[in-house]
Amino acid sequence: MTPDKILEYCLKELDGTVLVRSWGESGIFYNPQNRLKRGVYILTVKEKDGNHDKSSKLDRENIYRVNVGVRKNTFAKMFGVIPQRPPKDSVVEMGYGFSETDRILPHPVYAWMGWICSLNPTEKTFEKLMPLINEAYEFAKEKYEKKKL
């Protein structure tokens, strides 16, 4: 899998989505007819470390991280607990190696919000991510409907 293939999958399979590139990442947002400035986050692909998030070691050659915002109950079923919000410039305390590739992990910073991630997922791991991406899509649609447009 490549970042572009993942983004293309989302844009093709998830109606009403748009791609926004900013802050060193590519984001897939639910935003039918571009009614909102950006839309509601579904997924991001990050290809470089940020000032507050270096735990995945994205500065390694050809390493990227896919981040997906699932419901908290799904996150808890996957990882047993919703962690506390980490202090600024820190990662959640969950005992995971956040630089491990081809595995579905809690997001190192936003796990407290129910976000998961995977570094360089293979096609097999991406197949496991697809239902989670679909859940994030449905969740984003629900959040979008609650916004006053």
Side-chain angles (χ1 to χ4, degrees), residues 3 21 24 28 43-44 46 51 53 56-57 62-64 75-76 80-81 88 92-93 119 125 134 138 140 142 144-145:
R21 296 183 193 271
I28 297 292
L43 169 148
T44 65
K46 191 168 181 79
N51 291 337
D53 179 8
S56 294
K57 299 178 185 169
N62 297 317
I63 297 292
Y64 67 95
F75 184 97
V81 65
K88 185 177 180 186
V92 294
E93 293 184 23
L119 279 68
T125 299
N134 288 330
E138 294 299 326
E142 290 170 17
Y144 179 88
E145 292 302 320

Short mmCIF file of all heavy atoms in Angstrom, two decimals, residues 3 21 24 28 43-44 46 51 53 56-57 62-64 75-76 80-81 88 92-93 119 125 134 138 140 142 144-145:
data_model
loop_
_atom_site.label_atom_id
_atom_site.label_comp_id
_atom_site.label_asym_id
_atom_site.label_seq_id
_atom_site.Cartn_x
_atom_site.Cartn_y
_atom_site.Cartn_z
N PRO A 3 0.56 5.76 0.45
CA PRO A 3 -0.37 6.81 0.91
C PRO A 3 -1.38 7.18 -0.18
O PRO A 3 -2.57 7.33 0.12
CB PRO A 3 0.57 7.97 1.24
CG PRO A 3 1.86 7.32 1.61
CD PRO A 3 1.96 6.12 0.70
N ARG A 21 -4.93 18.90 2.03
CA ARG A 21 -3.52 18.75 2.42
C ARG A 21 -3.11 19.98 3.22
O ARG A 21 -3.21 21.09 2.74
CB ARG A 21 -2.65 18.61 1.18
CG ARG A 21 -2.94 17.34 0.39
CD ARG A 21 -1.99 17.20 -0.80
NE ARG A 21 -2.43 16.19 -1.73
CZ ARG A 21 -2.11 14.90 -1.67
NH1 ARG A 21 -1.33 14.47 -0.71
NH2 ARG A 21 -2.55 14.06 -2.58
N GLY A 24 1.43 19.24 6.92
CA GLY A 24 2.30 18.10 6.64
C GLY A 24 1.57 16.77 6.57
O GLY A 24 2.18 15.71 6.72
N ILE A 28 -8.64 13.15 4.79
CA ILE A 28 -9.91 12.85 4.14
C ILE A 28 -11.01 13.32 5.09
O ILE A 28 -11.06 12.91 6.25
CB ILE A 28 -10.07 11.34 3.85
CG1 ILE A 28 -8.99 10.85 2.88
CG2 ILE A 28 -11.47 11.03 3.33
CD1 ILE A 28 -9.10 11.39 1.47
N LEU A 43 -9.98 10.45 8.24
CA LEU A 43 -8.69 9.78 8.16
C LEU A 43 -7.62 10.79 7.77
O LEU A 43 -7.91 11.73 7.03
CB LEU A 43 -8.80 8.68 7.11
CG LEU A 43 -7.59 7.94 6.60
CD1 LEU A 43 -8.00 6.52 6.24
CD2 LEU A 43 -6.99 8.59 5.38
N THR A 44 -6.40 10.57 8.24
CA THR A 44 -5.27 11.36 7.75
C THR A 44 -4.12 10.43 7.42
O THR A 44 -4.04 9.31 7.94
CB THR A 44 -4.77 12.41 8.77
OG1 THR A 44 -4.25 11.75 9.92
CG2 THR A 44 -5.89 13.36 9.18
N LYS A 46 -0.04 10.87 7.41
CA LYS A 46 1.04 11.76 7.83
C LYS A 46 2.37 11.14 7.39
O LYS A 46 2.63 9.97 7.66
CB LYS A 46 0.99 11.92 9.35
CG LYS A 46 1.87 12.99 9.90
CD LYS A 46 1.48 13.23 11.36
CE LYS A 46 2.31 14.30 11.99
NZ LYS A 46 1.91 15.65 11.68
N ASN A 51 5.95 18.83 15.20
CA ASN A 51 6.64 19.39 16.37
C ASN A 51 6.23 18.71 17.67
O ASN A 51 7.02 18.61 18.59
CB ASN A 51 6.36 20.90 16.47
CG ASN A 51 7.01 21.66 15.36
OD1 ASN A 51 7.99 21.21 14.77
ND2 ASN A 51 6.49 22.83 15.05
N ASP A 53 4.73 15.53 17.81
CA ASP A 53 4.48 14.10 17.61
C ASP A 53 5.63 13.50 16.80
O ASP A 53 5.62 13.53 15.58
CB ASP A 53 3.15 13.90 16.90
CG ASP A 53 2.83 12.45 16.62
OD1 ASP A 53 3.55 11.56 17.11
OD2 ASP A 53 1.85 12.20 15.90
N SER A 56 6.28 8.18 16.23
CA SER A 56 6.23 7.17 15.17
C SER A 56 7.49 7.15 14.33
O SER A 56 7.65 6.28 13.47
CB SER A 56 5.02 7.41 14.27
OG SER A 56 3.83 7.21 14.98
N LYS A 57 8.37 8.09 14.56
CA LYS A 57 9.65 8.18 13.84
C LYS A 57 9.41 8.21 12.33
O LYS A 57 9.98 7.43 11.57
CB LYS A 57 10.57 7.04 14.25
CG LYS A 57 10.89 7.08 15.73
CD LYS A 57 11.77 5.92 16.14
CE LYS A 57 11.95 5.97 17.66
NZ LYS A 57 12.56 4.76 18.17
N ASN A 62 10.64 6.53 3.66
CA ASN A 62 9.44 5.85 3.16
C ASN A 62 8.52 5.34 4.25
O ASN A 62 7.83 4.33 4.07
CB ASN A 62 9.82 4.71 2.21
CG ASN A 62 10.53 5.21 0.98
OD1 ASN A 62 10.14 6.22 0.40
ND2 ASN A 62 11.60 4.55 0.60
N ILE A 63 8.47 6.02 5.38
CA ILE A 63 7.56 5.64 6.46
C ILE A 63 6.43 6.66 6.52
O ILE A 63 6.66 7.86 6.47
CB ILE A 63 8.29 5.57 7.82
CG1 ILE A 63 9.37 4.48 7.82
CG2 ILE A 63 7.30 5.34 8.97
CD1 ILE A 63 8.84 3.06 7.73
N TYR A 64 5.22 6.17 6.62
CA TYR A 64 4.05 7.04 6.77
C TYR A 64 3.09 6.40 7.77
O TYR A 64 3.20 5.21 8.08
CB TYR A 64 3.34 7.29 5.43
CG TYR A 64 2.70 6.06 4.85
CD1 TYR A 64 1.36 5.78 5.08
CD2 TYR A 64 3.43 5.15 4.08
CE1 TYR A 64 0.76 4.65 4.55
CE2 TYR A 64 2.83 4.02 3.55
CZ TYR A 64 1.51 3.77 3.80
OH TYR A 64 0.91 2.64 3.28
N PHE A 75 -12.66 1.67 19.90
CA PHE A 75 -11.28 1.78 20.39
C PHE A 75 -11.10 0.95 21.66
O PHE A 75 -10.15 0.19 21.79
CB PHE A 75 -10.94 3.25 20.65
CG PHE A 75 -9.52 3.47 21.07
CD1 PHE A 75 -8.56 3.84 20.15
CD2 PHE A 75 -9.15 3.30 22.39
CE1 PHE A 75 -7.24 4.03 20.55
CE2 PHE A 75 -7.84 3.48 22.80
CZ PHE A 75 -6.89 3.85 21.87
N ALA A 76 -12.03 1.09 22.60
CA ALA A 76 -11.94 0.37 23.87
C ALA A 76 -12.00 -1.14 23.66
O ALA A 76 -11.30 -1.90 24.34
CB ALA A 76 -13.03 0.82 24.83
N GLY A 80 -8.77 -2.18 25.04
CA GLY A 80 -9.08 -2.41 26.44
C GLY A 80 -9.42 -1.19 27.26
O GLY A 80 -10.10 -1.30 28.27
N VAL A 81 -8.97 -0.01 26.85
CA VAL A 81 -9.18 1.19 27.65
C VAL A 81 -8.99 2.42 26.77
O VAL A 81 -8.25 2.38 25.78
CB VAL A 81 -8.19 1.22 28.84
CG1 VAL A 81 -6.75 1.35 28.39
CG2 VAL A 81 -8.55 2.31 29.83
N LYS A 88 1.09 18.03 27.02
CA LYS A 88 1.60 18.61 25.79
C LYS A 88 2.97 18.03 25.45
O LYS A 88 3.81 17.85 26.33
CB LYS A 88 1.69 20.13 25.93
CG LYS A 88 2.10 20.82 24.65
CD LYS A 88 2.12 22.31 24.80
CE LYS A 88 2.53 22.91 23.46
NZ LYS A 88 2.71 24.33 23.52
N VAL A 92 0.38 9.10 24.65
CA VAL A 92 -0.46 8.38 25.60
C VAL A 92 0.35 7.25 26.25
O VAL A 92 1.27 6.70 25.63
CB VAL A 92 -1.73 7.80 24.94
CG1 VAL A 92 -2.65 8.91 24.47
CG2 VAL A 92 -1.39 6.86 23.80
N GLU A 93 -0.02 6.93 27.46
CA GLU A 93 0.66 5.85 28.17
C GLU A 93 -0.15 4.57 27.99
O GLU A 93 -1.13 4.34 28.69
CB GLU A 93 0.81 6.21 29.65
CG GLU A 93 1.75 7.37 29.87
CD GLU A 93 1.96 7.66 31.34
OE1 GLU A 93 1.76 6.76 32.18
OE2 GLU A 93 2.32 8.82 31.63
N LEU A 119 1.31 2.25 10.71
CA LEU A 119 2.44 2.70 9.92
C LEU A 119 2.68 1.71 8.79
O LEU A 119 2.79 0.50 9.03
CB LEU A 119 3.71 2.79 10.78
CG LEU A 119 3.88 4.03 11.64
CD1 LEU A 119 2.87 4.07 12.76
CD2 LEU A 119 5.29 4.10 12.17
N THR A 125 -3.05 -5.82 6.13
CA THR A 125 -3.41 -4.96 7.27
C THR A 125 -4.42 -3.91 6.83
O THR A 125 -5.35 -3.58 7.58
CB THR A 125 -2.15 -4.31 7.87
OG1 THR A 125 -1.29 -5.36 8.33
CG2 THR A 125 -2.50 -3.40 9.04
N ASN A 134 -14.50 2.61 7.32
CA ASN A 134 -15.94 2.75 7.06
C ASN A 134 -16.68 3.21 8.32
O ASN A 134 -17.61 4.02 8.24
CB ASN A 134 -16.52 1.44 6.52
CG ASN A 134 -16.08 1.17 5.11
OD1 ASN A 134 -15.84 2.09 4.34
ND2 ASN A 134 -15.96 -0.10 4.76
N GLU A 138 -18.88 6.68 8.73
CA GLU A 138 -20.23 6.79 9.26
C GLU A 138 -20.26 7.72 10.49
O GLU A 138 -21.20 8.50 10.64
CB GLU A 138 -20.77 5.40 9.63
CG GLU A 138 -20.98 4.49 8.44
CD GLU A 138 -21.98 5.03 7.42
OE1 GLU A 138 -22.96 5.69 7.83
OE2 GLU A 138 -21.79 4.78 6.21
N ALA A 140 -18.20 10.23 11.04
CA ALA A 140 -18.05 11.59 10.52
C ALA A 140 -19.36 12.12 9.96
O ALA A 140 -19.71 13.29 10.15
CB ALA A 140 -16.95 11.63 9.45
N GLU A 142 -22.33 11.31 10.98
CA GLU A 142 -23.17 11.64 12.14
C GLU A 142 -22.77 13.00 12.72
O GLU A 142 -23.63 13.83 13.03
CB GLU A 142 -23.03 10.57 13.22
CG GLU A 142 -23.65 9.24 12.84
CD GLU A 142 -23.28 8.13 13.81
OE1 GLU A 142 -22.83 8.43 14.95
OE2 GLU A 142 -23.44 6.96 13.43
N TYR A 144 -21.27 15.41 11.16
CA TYR A 144 -21.60 16.42 10.15
C TYR A 144 -23.07 16.83 10.26
O TYR A 144 -23.41 18.00 10.21
CB TYR A 144 -21.30 15.86 8.76
CG TYR A 144 -21.62 16.78 7.61
CD1 TYR A 144 -20.67 17.70 7.16
CD2 TYR A 144 -22.85 16.73 6.97
CE1 TYR A 144 -20.95 18.55 6.10
CE2 TYR A 144 -23.15 17.58 5.92
CZ TYR A 144 -22.19 18.49 5.49
OH TYR A 144 -22.46 19.32 4.45
N GLU A 145 -23.95 15.84 10.43
CA GLU A 145 -25.39 16.12 10.52
C GLU A 145 -25.73 16.95 11.75
O GLU A 145 -26.72 17.67 11.76
CB GLU A 145 -26.18 14.82 10.51
CG GLU A 145 -26.13 14.08 9.19
CD GLU A 145 -26.64 14.90 8.02
OE1 GLU A 145 -27.64 15.63 8.17
OE2 GLU A 145 -26.01 14.82 6.94
#
